[in-house]
Amino acid sequence: MRRSTLIILSSLLLPCTQAVAGDWFVAGSLGMAKGDSSASELNQQLAAAGLNATASSPDTSRNAWHTYLQYHYTPRFGVEVGFANLGKTNTRFSGVTSDIDTFLSSAKDIHPQTAKGWKLSGVYRHALPRNFAARARLGAFVWDADYSLKTTTIVRNVTSHGVGGVYGVGGEYKVYRDTYLHADYDVYDIDGEDISILSLGISYWLK
């Protein structure tokens, strides 16, 4: 999937090398992020690791935001660079262990995924009647994540990073001159888990 994403992204970015003028577009959005890791999946991972514990994660849905800058080299096609924060998660373990340090080492990768980082995408925009427009994006997300594993006596910090894909669709409505309201649905691939964001935001054309 990563290879096909990069091929498609390259084909969308290629016309930028030939563009001499275009329109700029700045935007920001707030929304809700949701992962696809359930408590039962986390418990299966604990059992597979040989750990006598159960897990719960109340933050599979959480606040998230992203902001970005687009450059349109044609009315329909452009590129986008942006930053996304997919929110915070908490995972609670309950069980019995005689060695809490060993337990934390074994369980450090068992949690819902989340991250923050930079994205680069090719974008497509299609104007519709009555000041509406539809749009889509496909690109890459360079992410990193920081986690803290805590007990009453131990705190362990874990850092991870990687590159995943991002794709999404959305719509916008012109409310005043070059100002638009927009709604988007985006999906980020974080270490094999899909994190979806449904967001609302405001956009401005810097023509």
Side-chain angles (χ1 to χ4, degrees):
M1 178 178 176
R2 290 182 179 177
R3 183 178 179 183
S4 61
T5 298
L6 291 175
I7 291 173
I8 296 172
L9 179 59
S10 297
S11 68
L12 290 171
L13 295 178
L14 183 60
C16 277
T17 61
Q18 305 170 349
V20 295
D23 295 328
W24 294 90
F25 181 102
V26 63
S29 300
L30 297 174
M32 293 295 296
K34 182 175 178 59
D36 58 13
S37 287
S38 65
S40 61
E41 290 173 332
L42 296 177
N43 289 329
Q44 290 174 7
Q45 295 177 50
L46 288 170
L51 299 175
N52 182 21
T54 58
S56 63
S57 182
D59 300 315
T60 52
S61 296
R62 64 268 185 182
N63 295 327
W65 60 269
H66 55 152
T67 184
Y68 49 89
L69 179 69
Q70 290 182 6
Y71 175 76
H72 283 257
Y73 47 84
T74 76
R76 291 191 177 186
F77 291 97
V79 294
E80 172 185 295
V81 60
F83 186 88
N85 188 320
L86 307 185
K88 296 181 179 180
T89 64
N90 289 287
T91 304
R92 298 185 178 91
F93 298 108
S94 58
V96 178
T97 182
S98 59
D99 188 342
I100 194 67
D101 192 64
T102 299
F103 176 86
L104 291 178
S105 296
S106 301
K108 65 183 180 64
D109 294 324
I110 302 175
H111 53 73
Q113 299 292 337
T114 191
K116 60 183 181 296
W118 293 93
K119 58 181 179 177
L120 177 65
S121 306
V123 295
Y124 173 80
R125 182 177 183 273
H126 181 72
L128 299 171
R130 298 186 179 181
N131 294 328
F132 284 94
R135 57 191 190 179
R137 63 170 55 89
L138 174 64
F141 183 52
V142 182
W143 59 268
D144 63 80
D146 299 309
Y147 300 94
S148 294
L149 307 177
K150 300 179 181 179
T151 69
T152 56
T153 58
I154 297 175
V155 176
R156 178 170 296 175
N157 296 317
V158 180
T159 300
S160 60
H161 54 86
V163 179
V166 56
Y167 63 90
V169 294
E172 60 187 54
Y173 175 71
K174 183 177 181 179
V175 292
Y176 179 74
R177 293 185 179 176
D178 295 326
T179 303
Y180 293 76
L181 295 178
H182 63 263
D184 294 283
Y185 177 79
D186 297 286
V187 179
Y188 294 79
D189 172 30
I190 308 298
D191 204 16
E193 180 178 350
D194 287 341
I195 311 297
S196 60
I197 297 182
L198 184 62
S199 62
L200 297 173
I202 190 167
S203 313
Y204 185 77
W205 283 96
L206 305 172
K207 295 182 179 180

